[in-house]
Amino acid sequence: MASRVFDELPEEIVYLLKQEQYVTVSTINQKNSTPDIHAVSWVYASSSRMLRFAVDARASVMKNLRAAPGMAMTVIGGGTTYSIAGRGKILTTEVNGISFPLAIIEVEVVEVKDVMFYGSRMISGPVFEKTYDLEAADELDNKVLEAMKKTQ
């Protein structure tokens, strides 16, 4: 069965990406032309055609996006797995109030594919837990979310 293809994020994914969510971000490593995969939880869908994510500005995803803005994000939710293809644009590499160089990347959604294999359904999404100071983690998460919403 062929994958379902959309030109924007389905409603359930926009909803999912307005809260903390585990996703993977794929860029191309220019040195060896191979995929470079990053696990990310700071992600925010500002609309069905635009989303943002945040990473440490020293991460290899930054070098990769500067060389080639094409990227993909994998999201598990709504009972399936989605591959979101887009073009990443680095909005900033420094956010006031964050103690490390934080980059915010905006992604123009080009194509969304339901890539779940035939005859199956995801019954739960990926679950993770923070393994450091939970109060500090909540404070940082809130600051990053606000920065993703406000950065121009």
Side-chain angles (χ1 to χ4, degrees), residues 115-137:
V115 296
M116 194 68 196
F117 47 90
Y118 179 75
S120 60
R121 173 175 163 70
M122 294 299 296
I123 57 173
S124 70
V127 179
F128 64 93
E129 70 177 342
K130 305 280 173 66
T131 57
Y132 58 103
D133 182 332
L134 295 181
E135 191 174 303

Side-chain angles (χ1 to χ4, degrees), residues 58-121:
R58 300 164 291 195
S60 61
V61 68
M62 300 297 292
K63 181 178 180 183
N64 297 344
L65 286 174
R66 284 185 182 105
M71 54 155 295
M73 182 179 287
T74 303
V75 179
I76 299 171
T80 193
T81 302
Y82 291 98
S83 175
I84 303 165
R87 285 184 286 278
K89 175 183 174 185
I90 300 166
L91 297 180
T92 187
T93 57
E94 189 175 314
V95 175
N96 289 335
I98 304 290
S99 62
F100 60 91
L102 181 75
I104 297 177
I105 295 100
E106 186 168 70
V107 181
E108 174 191 358
V109 174
V110 174
E111 182 179 70
V112 181
K113 290 182 184 177
D114 178 341
V115 296
M116 194 68 196
F117 47 90
Y118 179 75
S120 60
R121 173 175 163 70

